[in-house]
């Protein structure tokens, strides 16, 4: 044997054949290779491996193909002849002995090898493995169909894959080692057998070289083969046991998985059945509760009817929710500069437009109380609804005493109209939504106690019939209510539309990112079940995994079938029937406690009262501190002034104004008549002088004078005088009333905070006041009768008439001289004393005036008009003095000049007539040369004024003062109801501070009362 190669699969042996004589000859010829020659083995007839006898293909690998070289017949004959001639006996003996020894050794080695057939009974065949694999795959498919959500335990999967990978790696390593060993051996054999052996050397080598050590080497080789075989057997045994155990483990695991899947299927069936039973029990419980509530309602009604008037007289104690609602009503109008914000809890209902939030609120209130619309905005202002339990299902507004019976459809319709009307009235100045809160109360059996605020729906598009800022206004209102850290946000989402179209979820997530006070409500679940093909989407919504928001709880409700005429009971029945038969509910998508509006109302009420108990005392402490600050400011700024809010100040002003009206009755008749007479004469003096006295005085004799005066007086009395006198009476009444108001301002206890209010009330009342229409007709008759009387009966009346004429003429003369002074400018004395000079126009007026006075001196009884010749004369005379004027300028200057001349004549005549009474009485004026027609005319006018003043005084004192008082009261009533008007007229820090102080005290007292009742209930 030349070489022994060891691989991982066993030992491989190569034997030198007899044809390699050339290489042997060369080796024998060299002395240094003598040692190698000793190792040459006698030729063997075949090649083999230690595992050649194994059955099967489990561990067999293909080695290199070393074939036995073929030899020709001629070569064999030549070699036989040559050997026979030289060393024939040695060659023959060595060949026979070496061949028999080699054959014997081979037989011993082969017998010593163990039988590997035992592996056939241990390892399964390939067919068995394929059948097991097929059965496992089919079994896996069955489990997968039975349990859709089943997945193999990742640990088991990793364990099986790891063992399989180790086995494959082991086989690959063995195969690679065997291939590498074969390739190395082939390369070495090719190098060894590269030269030829000579026939002689071959003969000699075979004969003696291997005979001594062949047996010993064969034994060593057999021993090594046995050791390697034992190692291989041990490794195979270990691998077999490991594979067997893993297979058994996988089999057991598959059996456990099958049992587990069957158990899961059983549990799922039990869960669905339990869920259905729970829903049925819940519905049964709800119906039983409703039945008991109806019985309770009837019992309470009967008790109240039996109690009769006795129970009605007793003071009914307010419930907790009513007390809490009163606090919220106070806070709705509260506006403080001290930043004491309203953080009391309330349930804020928000959602997209037409998402069903109003329907949810109606289901909670168990009445269709809100206006209905098809796709249009119906909620235009915040509506605060206070729900409380009561024997009767009724509703009422905060500012009204009327109660609507919600069990009657007619009153429900009236309630909806009233709500819609209040919403439209709250929207002003072209806006679409309003911040004003509409507060209403709903009482009924079985209602959960809480306060809900329904807000306008959030929109994404502003239509043409809306204000341009409607979208921003709605978002501002929603953010204002949701910014309260203690408000419960009831987020309403329409389940029938795509989740991506939601606007409210983003807004809610901004206001409450942690979801600590948000309750999510999915409406229209019946439509969602019809439209959605994947129920998993609804499960994600109700699990809080679809929308970018968090919530305390998630609920699914059904608010009707889309018919606005359905009653609440019909909607409840439909909701119960839907959840009883819904595949979403049966499939375990939602739990029973997440369904129906009743469960929703219970959860919201519980969360609401928990928030109230946790925060109401903090709010009370905040208002207590605010009250202390306001009281301190009042004491420092108004130490001696009583705290009066705007309403109390208005009531005080009302009393002051009405007191002044009463003071009108304290005026004496003489005071009224004097005031009326003076006012009458002031109103008619100009007309009398210009239109009656002056034209009558232009006549030539007394008869014509009287005739002209009578005509003028009658026309005046018929047309203008009565109405003018009525106006005088109204103005006199106003003047006297304002005098009393001015006197009140000068009193010591006057408060100027009422001045604006009093002035505004008086102005409005006088503007509305109208004198009675028949008063003018009565005055016309009286005045005509007075003006027709020309007889002066006694000397006293004559003297009074003379004095009246003198005073009137003097007054008129003084006024006329003032007019002339303005026309002609300052006199010479005034120019020297006051250093004032006339203008050019005044100089012209003075020159024309001098010429006109010359004309009047020349003709004392001149008429009141200038002829053309006279005008031309005056103009030319003025031009001669260097003053160029026109005719119109002359006539304008003439009127005041002649009026002064006429008044001086009248005054002189009045002086002359003072002692002519007896001549007048005897009819001797003409003989004495005295004409007293002027005195008689003014006596007639004086008598008419006296009679008119008397009639007006009676009218004022008997009727008009009372009518004025009534109108002032009406104005005060209107202003008292108009809060904006009071805020406009009663202003100042004192008013604002008193107003805030009163409001804070009311809120604090109500909060303390509520906290006391809340603790008592605990």
């Amino acid at each position: 044997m030349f070489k022994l190669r060891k691989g991982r699969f066993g030992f491989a042996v190569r034997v030198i054949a007899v044809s390699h004589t050339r290489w042997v000859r060369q080796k024998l010829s060299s002395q240094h290779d003598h040692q190698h020659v000793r190792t040459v083995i006698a030729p063997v007839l075949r090649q083999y491996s230690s595992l050649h006898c194994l059955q099967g293909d489990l561990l067999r690998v293909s080695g290199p193909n070393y074939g036995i070289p073929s030899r020709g017949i001629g070569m064999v004959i030549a070699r036989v002849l040559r050997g026979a001639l030289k060393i024939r006996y040695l060659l023959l003996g060595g060949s026979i002995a070496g061949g028999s020894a080699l054959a014997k050794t081979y037989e011993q080695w082969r017998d010593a090898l163990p039988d590997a057939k035992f592996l056939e009974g241990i390892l399964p065949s390939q067919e068995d493995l394929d059948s097991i694999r097929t059965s496992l795959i089919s079994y896996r498919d069955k489990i997968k169909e039975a349990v859709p959500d089943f997945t193999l335990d990742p640990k088991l999967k990793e364990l099986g894959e790891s063992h399989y990978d180790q086995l494959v790696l082991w086989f690959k390593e063995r195969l690679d080692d065997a291939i590498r060993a074969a390739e190395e051996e082939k390369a070495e054999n090719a190098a060894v057998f590269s030269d030829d052996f000579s026939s002689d050397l071959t003969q000699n080598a075979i004969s003696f070289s291997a005979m001594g050590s062949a047996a010993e080497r064969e034994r060593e080789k057999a021993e090594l083969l046995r050791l390697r075989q034992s190692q291989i057997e041990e490794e195979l045994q270990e691998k077999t046991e490991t594979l067997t155990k893993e297979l058994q483990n996988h089999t057991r695991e598959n059996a456990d998985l099958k049992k587990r899947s069957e158990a899961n299927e059983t549990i799922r069936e039990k869960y669905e059945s339990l869920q259905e039973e729970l829903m049925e029990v819940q519905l049964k419980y709800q119906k039983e509760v409703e039945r008991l509530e109806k019985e309770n309602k009837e019992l309470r009604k009967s008790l109240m009817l039996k109690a009769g008037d006795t129970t009605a007289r007793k003071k009914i104690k307010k419930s907790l929710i009513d007390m809490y609602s009163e606090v919220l009503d106070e806070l709705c109008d509260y506006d403080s500069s001290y930043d004491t914000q309203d953080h009391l809890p309330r349930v804020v209902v928000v959602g997209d437009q037409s998402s069903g939030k109003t329907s949810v609120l109606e289901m909670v209130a168990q009445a269709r109380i809100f206006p209905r619309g098809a796709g249009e905005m119906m909620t235009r202002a915040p509506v605060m609804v206070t729900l409380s339990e009561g024997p009767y299902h009724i509703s009422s507004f905060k500012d009204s005493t009327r109660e609507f019976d919600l069990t009657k459809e007619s009153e429900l319709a009236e309630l909806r109209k009233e709500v819609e009307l209040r919403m439209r009235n709250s929207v002003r100045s072209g806006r679409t939504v309003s911040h004003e809160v509409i507060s209403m109360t709903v009482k009924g059996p079985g209602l959960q106690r809480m306060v809900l605020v329904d807000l306008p729906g959030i929109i994404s598009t502003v239509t043409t019939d809306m204000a341009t800022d409607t979208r921003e206004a709605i978002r501002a209102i929603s953010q204002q209510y949701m910014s309260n850290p203690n408000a419960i946000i009831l987020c309403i989402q329409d389940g029938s539309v795509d989740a991506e179209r939601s606007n409210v979820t983003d807004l809610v997530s901004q206001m409450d990112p942690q979801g600590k006070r948000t309750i999510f409500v999915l409406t229209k679940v019946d439509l969602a079940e019809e439209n959605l093909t994947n129920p998993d989407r609804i499960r994600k919504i109700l699990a809080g995994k679809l929308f970018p928001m968090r919530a305390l709880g998630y609920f699914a409700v059904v608010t009707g079938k889309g018919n606005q005429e359905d009653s609440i009971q019909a909607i409840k029945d439909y909701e119960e029937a839907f959840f009883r038969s819904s595949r979403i509910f049966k499939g375990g998508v939602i739990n029973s406690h997440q369904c129906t509006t009743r469960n929703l109302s219970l959860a919201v009420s519980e969360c609401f009262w928990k928030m109230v108990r946790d925060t109401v005392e903090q709010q009370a402490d905040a208002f207590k501190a605010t009250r202390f600050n306001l009281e301190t400011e009042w004491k420092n700024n108004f130490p001696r002034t009583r705290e009066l809010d705007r309403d109390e100040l208005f009531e005080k002003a009302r009393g002051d104004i009405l007191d002044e009206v009463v003071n009108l009755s304290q005026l004496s008749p003489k005071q009224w008549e004097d005031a009326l007479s003076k006012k009458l004469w002031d109103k008619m003096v100009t007309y009398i002088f210009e239109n009656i006295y002056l034209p009558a005085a232009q006549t030539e004799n007394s008869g014509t004078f009287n005739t002209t005066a009578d005509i003028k007086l009658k026309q005046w009395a018929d047309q203008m005088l009565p109405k003018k006198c009525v106006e005088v009476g109204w103005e006199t009444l106003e003047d006297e009333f304002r005098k009393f108001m001015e006197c009140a301002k000068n009193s010591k206890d006057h408060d100027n905070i009422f001045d604006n209010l009093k002035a505004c009330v008086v102005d409005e009342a006088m503007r509305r006041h109208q004198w009675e229409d028949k008063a003018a007709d009565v005055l016309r008759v009286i005045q005509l009768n007075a003006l027709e009387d020309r007889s002066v009966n006694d000397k006293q009346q004559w003297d009074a008439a003379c004095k009246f004429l003198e005073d009137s003429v003097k007054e008129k003369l003084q006024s006329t001289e003032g007019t002339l002074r303005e026309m002609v400018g300052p006199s010479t004395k005034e120019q020297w004393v006051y250093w004032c000079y006339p203008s050019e126009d005044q100089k012209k007026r003075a020159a024309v005036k001098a010429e006109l006075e010359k004309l009047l001196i020349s003709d004392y009884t001149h008429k009141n008009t200038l002829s053309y010749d006279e005008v031309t004369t005056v103009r030319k005379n003025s031009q001669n003095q260097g003053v160029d004027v026109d005719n119109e300028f002359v006539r304008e200057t003439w009127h005041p000049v002649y009026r002064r001349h006429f008044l001086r004549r009248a005054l002189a005549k009045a002086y002359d007539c003072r002692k002519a009474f007896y001549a007048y009485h005897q009819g001797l004026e003409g003989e004495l040369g005295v004409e007293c027609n002027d005195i008689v005319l003014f006596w007639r006018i004086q008598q008419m004024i006296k009679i008119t003043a008397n009639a007006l005084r009676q009218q004022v004192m008997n009727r008009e003062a009372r009518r004025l008082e009534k109108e002032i009261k009406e104005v005060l009533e209107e202003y008292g109801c108009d809060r904006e008007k009071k805020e406009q007229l009663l202003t100042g820090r004192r008013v604002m501070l008193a107003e805030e102080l009163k409001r804070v005290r009311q809120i604090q007292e109500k909060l303390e009362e509520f906290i006391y009742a809340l603790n008592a209930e605990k």
Side-chain angles (χ1 to χ4, degrees), residues 284-388:
K284 186 183 297 183
Y285 169 75
Q286 185 173 352
K287 290 182 179 179
E288 185 66 20
V289 170
E290 291 177 355
R291 185 183 64 80
L292 293 175
E293 287 174 351
K294 289 181 180 179
E295 293 180 358
N296 185 25
K297 177 181 176 181
E298 296 298 330
L299 289 173
R300 294 183 68 176
K301 283 183 179 179
S302 61
L303 288 174
M304 292 180 69
L305 291 174
K306 289 180 180 179
D309 296 337
T310 305
T311 306
R313 293 192 193 99
K314 292 182 180 180
K315 183 178 180 181
I316 301 175
K317 184 180 180 181
K318 292 182 181 179
S319 63
L320 274 178
I321 193 63
D322 291 334
M323 297 166 63
Y324 187 76
S325 178
E326 290 180 357
V327 175
L328 293 182
D329 290 337
E330 291 289 340
L331 289 173
C332 285
D333 300 329
Y334 178 71
D335 183 16
S336 175
S337 60
Y338 285 87
D339 197 22
T340 306
Q341 299 179 359
D342 174 16
H343 288 168
L344 286 178
R346 50 176 65 79
V347 181
V348 180
V349 186
V350 295
D352 296 335
Q353 184 178 349
S354 302
S355 61
K357 55 184 181 55
T358 302
S359 300
V360 170
L361 204 153
E362 288 182 337
M363 290 294 292
V364 174
Q366 299 183 13
R368 308 297 293 268
I369 59 177
F370 292 103
R372 308 171 189 178
E376 61 176 332
M377 179 183 293
M378 299 305 299
T379 306
R380 298 178 179 270
V383 181
M384 188 176 74
V385 182
T386 303
L387 300 180
S388 61

Side-chain angles (χ1 to χ4, degrees), residues 857-877:
I857 293 173
S858 62
D859 187 1
Y860 185 76
T861 60
H862 198 284
K863 303 296 182 183
N864 61 342
T865 57
L866 285 174
S867 65
Y868 180 76
D869 294 338
E870 292 173 339
V871 173
T872 303
T873 302
V874 172
R875 181 170 57 82
K876 289 181 177 181
N877 292 336

Side-chain angles (χ1 to χ4, degrees), residues 3 28 148 165 178 202 208 341 354 393 460 474 561 670 708 713 745 786 814 840:
K3 194 173 184 181
L28 291 175
D165 293 340
T202 303
F208 294 107
Q341 299 179 359
S354 302
H393 204 184
S460 57
I474 293 175
K561 297 179 287 186
K670 186 176 186 306
T708 303
L713 289 173
K745 287 184 180 181
Q814 185 178 0
E840 292 297 328

Side-chain angles (χ1 to χ4, degrees), residues 705-739:
F705 180 93
N706 292 330
T707 303
T708 303
D710 291 343
I711 296 173
K712 296 289 184 180
L713 289 173
K714 183 170 179 58
Q715 292 176 353
W716 182 42
D718 285 338
Q719 297 175 2
M720 295 181 296
L721 183 58
K723 293 181 179 179
K724 185 65 70 173
C725 291
V726 170
E727 293 179 3
V728 168
W730 181 85
E731 292 177 1
T732 305
L733 178 62
E734 180 182 2
D735 292 342
E736 294 299 324
F737 185 69
R738 291 187 184 277
K739 286 180 181 179

Side-chain angles (χ1 to χ4, degrees), residues 295-519:
E295 293 180 358
N296 185 25
K297 177 181 176 181
E298 296 298 330
L299 289 173
R300 294 183 68 176
K301 283 183 179 179
S302 61
L303 288 174
M304 292 180 69
L305 291 174
K306 289 180 180 179
D309 296 337
T310 305
T311 306
R313 293 192 193 99
K314 292 182 180 180
K315 183 178 180 181
I316 301 175
K317 184 180 180 181
K318 292 182 181 179
S319 63
L320 274 178
I321 193 63
D322 291 334
M323 297 166 63
Y324 187 76
S325 178
E326 290 180 357
V327 175
L328 293 182
D329 290 337
E330 291 289 340
L331 289 173
C332 285
D333 300 329
Y334 178 71
D335 183 16
S336 175
S337 60
Y338 285 87
D339 197 22
T340 306
Q341 299 179 359
D342 174 16
H343 288 168
L344 286 178
R346 50 176 65 79
V347 181
V348 180
V349 186
V350 295
D352 296 335
Q353 184 178 349
S354 302
S355 61
K357 55 184 181 55
T358 302
S359 300
V360 170
L361 204 153
E362 288 182 337
M363 290 294 292
V364 174
Q366 299 183 13
R368 308 297 293 268
I369 59 177
F370 292 103
R372 308 171 189 178
E376 61 176 332
M377 179 183 293
M378 299 305 299
T379 306
R380 298 178 179 270
V383 181
M384 188 176 74
V385 182
T386 303
L387 300 180
S388 61
E389 191 174 8
Y392 299 101
H393 204 184
I394 57 176
S395 177
S396 62
F397 291 96
K398 178 186 73 172
D399 54 353
S400 175
T401 57
R402 179 182 177 182
E403 293 183 348
F404 296 87
D405 189 354
L406 302 183
T407 60
K408 297 179 180 180
E409 187 60 34
S410 59
E411 296 200 16
L412 270 174
E414 294 179 2
L415 177 62
R416 288 192 290 267
K417 290 181 180 178
E418 181 68 19
V419 173
E420 184 176 4
L421 180 62
R422 288 174 179 259
M423 285 185 181
R424 296 190 180 277
N425 291 337
S426 65
V427 178
R428 298 186 180 91
S429 64
R431 304 183 66 86
T432 307
V433 294
S434 171
H435 288 262
E436 294 185 11
V437 180
I438 300 174
S439 181
M440 60 187 303
T441 302
V442 177
K443 296 183 180 180
L447 294 182
Q448 299 299 321
R449 302 179 301 168
M450 55 183 153
V451 178
L452 301 102
V453 181
D454 186 20
L455 301 180
I458 298 173
I459 61 174
S460 57
T461 304
V462 178
T463 58
T464 56
D465 57 345
M466 297 180 181
T468 56
D469 62 340
T470 301
R471 177 173 54 191
E472 289 75 15
I474 293 175
R475 293 182 70 89
I477 294 173
S478 302
Q479 290 175 349
Q480 175 187 352
Y481 280 88
M482 289 191 292
S483 62
N484 180 359
N486 299 324
I488 310 258
I489 303 174
L490 198 62
C491 180
I492 309 298
Q493 173 62 35
D494 189 350
S496 63
V497 300
D498 297 334
E500 292 75 12
R501 295 167 55 187
S502 175
N503 296 317
V504 67
T505 52
D506 292 336
L507 185 60
V508 172
S509 63
Q510 294 174 8
M511 305 306 298
D512 184 23
Q514 301 300 324
K516 295 182 179 179
R517 52 189 181 91
T518 301
I519 297 177

Side-chain angles (χ1 to χ4, degrees), residues 2 16-30 33 35-41 188-199 201-202 205:
F2 173 71
I16 301 174
V18 296
S19 62
H20 299 161
T21 58
R22 184 182 302 172
W23 179 81
V24 175
R25 188 181 296 115
Q26 292 176 356
K27 295 294 183 180
L28 291 175
S29 62
S30 59
D33 289 338
Q35 184 65 30
H36 291 285
V37 175
R38 292 181 181 180
T39 62
V40 175
I41 307 302
E188 293 177 358
N189 288 337
V192 171
F193 299 137
S194 61
D195 299 330
D196 296 334
F197 292 96
S198 64
S199 61
L201 290 174
T202 303

Side-chain angles (χ1 to χ4, degrees), residues 651-666:
E651 292 300 325
K652 184 177 180 182
R654 180 204 297 267
D656 293 344
I657 295 173
L658 294 178
D659 289 342
E660 301 301 334
V661 175
V662 174
N663 290 336
L664 287 175
S665 60
Q666 297 178 2

